[in-house]
Amino acid sequence: MRNAMRNLGGDPAKINPLLPAELVIDHSVQVDEFGSRFAIARNAELEFQRNRERYAFLRWGQKAFDNLEVVPPNTGIVHQVNLEFLAQVAFSDGTRLYPDTLVGTDSHTTMVNGLGVVGWGVGGIEAEAALLGQPLTMLIPQVVGFRLSGKLPPGATATDLVLTVTQMLRKRGVVGKFVEFFGPGIGELSLPDRATIANMAPEYGATIGFFPVDAQTLAYLRFTGRPAAQVELVEAYCKAQGLLHTAETPEPVFSDLLSLDLGTVEPSLAGPKRPQDRVPLKDAKKIFEKSLLDMVNTAPPQDEDAAPTAASPKPAQPVSGPSKLSASAVVNQGTLSYRLQHGAVVIAAITSCTNTSNPAVLLAAGLLAKKAVERGLGTKPWVKTSLAPGSKVVMDYLRSAGLVPYLEALGFHLVGYGCTTCIGNSGPLPEHIASAVTEQDLVVAAVLSGNRNFEGRINPFVRMNFLASPPLVVAYALAGEMDIDLVTEPLAVDRNGSPVYLKDIWPSDQEIREAIAAHVKPEQFRNQYAHALEGDARWQSLRVPASNTFAWDEKSTYVRRPPFFENLSKEPVAVQDIKSARVLALLGDSVTTDHISPAGSIAKASPAARYLMEQGVEPKDFNSYGSRRGNHEVMVRGTFANIRLRNLLVPGVEGGVTVHLPTRERMSIYDAAMKYAAEKTPLVVIAGAEYGTGSSRDWAAKGTLLLGVRAVLAKSFERIHRSNLVGMGVLPLQFDAGVDAGTLGLTGKETFEILGVAEGLAPGKRLTVKATGEQGSKEFTATCRIDTPNELDYYRNGGILPFVLRQLAKA
């Protein structure tokens, strides 16, 4: 569940079931002739019916448990709802006061750090254990100070700032550390600006990105409709505890220190593949051209309905000189005909909790759209546009400002309140666009106001993905291409034939401030959240059994009884050394949880699709991996199924493909894993640096376990995924510094033994790894990345949930 959970003082867990995967953008719906209100009603009804089984499961839980509250679907993205409604900042249990703390099953839980709440993302496995009363443990982190001074210059947004911060902190290296922002500059940032920076803590690698409670925090709590008594309690408690930041507060002492003058921040994007790769707007065209040269020399886009299989792998195609760079396709779209080229922007999405929580950038986007429409400009016909705010309040102030018609005139229709393009739910490209991209191997682009742009995440046909502020998203929809310098070249020509530059339609800071003052009102928050926990008629009418145990439907393809507790013994079986293991996948650096467990569409030729069709599910009803995460049969088949995965066991091929090494037969990773399981062969995965970066996707660990993987050997791990692996009983091992598969000469075709597990296993223990191949054997050591004694208990029990259940049984 993509949720936020509070575990202190008996406060009920708050769960928001609007899962990111539930809101897939259907282009035919969002541009319905009756307008966006009909479109979202139709979209919401469709999604509700698709996800009825999962909603019923949550509704049952709401009734069955005393300490569980559920925020119903179509309310917004949980992080924004948390910021605007749920977070208390200080808690009272009637006799004690204590700081608000939080864990959530999404990495962007850190957004609430902007409100002065210490909280971070954990895997669903840890979260489930926390709901059962298990404490969370961690090594005491270093705290990195980030000093802000000055103020943002005209034209710079909070998005530009967070992309700059992300670039700086990734370069410094803050994985597993806390980051605290301080200095005179924080007083120049609004609370939504701070939340934007805190939101992207996972992208800069930190566990949290914390801002202290100050007068801005208290003002925001009042403005968003928190009860006056609660705001007074927060102020009094923080003063008494020395937690209320003022201009006189002395600067803390930190483990490390960075600083940034806000006045140096400039309009920026990030991409085309990683959020830390900031691109100044003035250099965007140049970076596009350089990236294009790199990308035309790699494997072409694959048809999402023709995923690589043993029978039809998709090898990389050779570059054919200048003709490859000049490739284009003539597209006929109704009465329109146009030429699609490399760099065409085919997706422009105002999306994600990162930016849609900030009135400044949302109103800026609307104001820019208004000026563009008034000059007679329009979105290019090949651009798929969408508007998916993180809360309903956004549409209230956009309507109040009269900006919705202008956004809709450019195609930015409301598609719903939830995670869409940022999580990979852009929906399919129009067939004529997808065909042109595929047939001519075009490198096309998406521009989105999100927080992640990893390969294969946004859309299977889109290889360049750029993060940008909402007004820049609108600007690139108007331009329709990345091969343009928006600083010096015109976006388009107006109805009079005159060139229109970005500077001509970019709203001034004064215009944005006036719009915020006139149209963002406290009553909007109060009205939207007054009945937030009640849900609409569909939610209230869901029929669920009144029982303490859930009635599993064996015919369900959405929610099935999980296999993790089958044949669970009263006492754990002793852990053993791993012997005669084979490599399922040999991977490089920066393999994300999207590569491991994609959340997007289910390709028709994939193992997951075959399973669904065997259950009588038609392709039109596949939905997405994210929506079917309650069905392990789908999710295990989707593990390592990302079409951009590069398994070095099959060089030149992209997708979820591997080799069954004993027979040298090429097949899907799932099919190979099942073949190894039948042979009782344990499996390992070998990877490079930053393994498991990205979303805190518990299925990236659950699926790994169900494939039969016993250990993952990597140069380094991202925090949440490492924890998830331990939580599922999979052993994370880390190469020594300066060592990896390449330096050791490992091909992935060896058999592996991991020795030292059975005797004296301890946090951080050095284990011996023996690899035996055709050229003989080699031994090396690797560090056991079980980091705490509690984690060791989890591993010895086969995972955190078996450990918790055994503890409950003993009690």
Side-chain angles (χ1 to χ4, degrees), residues 126-182:
E126 279 188 288
E128 290 157 4
L131 286 170
L132 292 171
Q134 183 68 16
L136 295 173
T137 61
M138 63 187 302
L139 298 176
I140 296 176
Q142 296 182 41
V143 181
V144 177
F146 199 117
R147 189 176 193 276
L148 298 174
S149 61
K151 61 186 299 184
L152 289 173
T157 67
T159 311
D160 305 319
L161 172 56
V162 73
L163 296 180
T164 303
V165 168
T166 299
Q167 180 187 45
M168 293 175 65
L169 286 170
R170 265 294 170 185
K171 184 176 180 180
R172 179 62 61 97
V174 293
V175 173
K177 301 176 182 179
F178 284 11
V179 172
E180 182 173 343
F181 296 91
F182 72 105

Side-chain angles (χ1 to χ4, degrees), residues 466-524:
F466 291 92
L467 307 181
S469 64
L472 278 181
V473 170
V474 177
Y476 274 102
L478 297 170
E481 60 178 324
M482 294 304 304
D483 193 16
I484 183 174
D485 184 342
L486 293 187
V487 176
T488 62
E489 299 177 38
L491 279 169
V493 294
D494 64 15
R495 60 172 63 92
N496 298 319
S498 301
V500 179
Y501 293 82
L502 179 60
K503 64 183 179 182
D504 298 332
I505 58 174
W506 191 271
S508 68
D509 288 3
Q510 181 64 27
E511 289 175 299
I512 296 169
R513 284 193 296 268
E514 289 175 355
I516 293 173
H519 302 291
V520 185
K521 301 294 185 182
E523 54 266 27
Q524 293 164 348

Side-chain angles (χ1 to χ4, degrees), residues 44 242 250 296 519 659:
V296 294
H519 302 291
V659 172

Side-chain angles (χ1 to χ4, degrees), residues 132 564-574 793-811:
L132 292 171
F564 306 116
F565 312 117
E566 292 177 359
N567 303 316
L568 184 66
S569 60
K570 186 175 181 180
E571 296 294 334
V573 177
D793 285 338
Y794 304 156
Y795 179 72
R796 290 187 181 281
N797 277 267
I800 189 171
L801 291 179
F803 171 81
V804 172
L805 291 180
R806 287 188 175 109
Q807 295 300 306
L808 290 173
K810 289 179 181 178

